[in-house]
Amino acid sequence: MLDFFPRPGRVGVVKYGKASRFRHYQNHYLREYCRDLPCERVLNTGATPNASDKQGSTYEAYFPKAEFHTTDIAPHSDPRHFQDDLMAVKNIPGPYDLVLVMSVLEHVDRPWIAAPEITSLIKPGGYMYLAMPYFYPVHEGEGFGDHWRWTPSAMKFLFPDLVQKKCDLYPSSLVVVRDRKTYWRDPKNTFVGFSMLLQRAS
């Protein structure tokens, strides 16, 4: 049992260690959604090789039988890494059975341009695993901003050539006692983020 999932009727404090609440959910659904997929080639976007999952492993270790590559706008000396821009892909040798887009699109300047580029990296019948923050702090750094937030329903417009197979919301830590309507008490409205598995048509 995963202790970071809230228990109904209980309020308490959960210690997450180095991994955030968001990261716990992202990693959990990555394992759940993708462990049985036929993945010979996997691409992790917005990442470098040996990227930590903040829970004592690497994302490459999730796919021990796959050829694992990464891409980012930053360079890296590892030959498994491709320096590239998701808004104008030139160097990534697709297609892939699975493309990971985890906490990436909020940092892309023009995601509506990147989305078809990402789709082109997925082989027909292949998958994309998406993890997206929603009700989440702004997190920017040197060389990258934090521009966007979406709901799950927006993905059908951003990725019209992909079909949603699974989706789960990450519950919020906020508890609102009084609310004029029910917006803040409805977990469908106050989620921290979500995971989604999408498939490209064969």
Side-chain angles (χ1 to χ4, degrees):
M1 179 176 175
L2 298 167
D3 63 0
F4 60 91
F5 283 97
R7 299 177 187 177
R10 297 185 65 182
V11 176
V13 176
V14 178
K15 294 182 179 179
Y16 296 100
K18 293 181 179 179
S20 68
R21 178 185 178 91
F22 183 95
R23 180 79 64 140
H24 274 272
Y25 282 105
Q26 173 183 282
N27 294 348
H28 168 71
Y29 288 115
L30 175 61
R31 292 186 185 99
E32 181 179 296
Y33 290 178
C34 302
R35 66 176 163 234
D36 296 324
L37 296 181
C39 297
E40 294 182 4
R41 302 187 79 226
V42 177
L43 176 69
N44 192 8
T45 64
T48 55
N50 300 316
S52 171
D53 71 350
K54 309 292 188 190
Q55 292 182 296
S57 187
T58 64
Y59 287 114
E60 183 175 14
Y62 286 41
F63 305 95
K65 297 180 180 179
E67 179 184 332
F68 193 86
H69 294 154
T70 60
T71 186
D72 193 61
I73 56 174
H76 197 282
S77 60
D78 193 302
R80 297 170 299 164
H81 180 79
F82 304 103
Q83 182 181 7
D84 217 333
D85 185 340
L86 290 177
M87 294 186 292
V89 172
K90 298 176 182 176
N91 303 316
I92 304 171
Y96 288 87
D97 300 290
L98 175 64
V99 174
L100 309 179
V101 185
M102 302 185 295
S103 303
V104 170
L105 285 178
E106 70 270 25
H107 302 297
V108 176
D109 295 344
R110 296 169 180 81
W112 54 91
I113 294 175
E117 296 284 309
I118 294 170
T119 299
S120 73
L121 295 171
I122 306 167
K123 77 173 190 180
Y127 296 87
M128 177 175 74
Y129 174 76
L130 181 77
M132 184 83 68
Y134 182 65
F135 193 70
Y136 194 81
V138 172
H139 49 292
E140 297 180 331
E142 185 176 348
F144 66 92
D146 183 5
H147 312 304
W148 309 100
R149 296 292 184 271
W150 292 279
T151 59
S153 63
M155 294 303 98
K156 66 182 179 181
F157 300 107
L158 202 56
F159 294 97
D161 296 326
L162 303 181
V163 177
Q164 176 185 318
K165 308 301 287 187
K166 298 181 181 180
C167 183
D168 283 277
L169 305 178
Y170 309 165
S172 174
S173 299
L174 293 176
V175 176
V176 177
V177 178
R178 293 179 180 269
D179 188 5
R180 184 173 62 85
K181 293 192 176 180
T182 58
Y183 299 137
W184 288 96
R185 285 179 284 168
D186 187 338
K188 296 191 300 294
N189 300 330
T190 59
F191 57 95
V192 170
F194 63 92
S195 284
M196 184 177 285
L197 184 70
L198 303 103
Q199 186 176 26
R200 186 175 182 183
S202 299

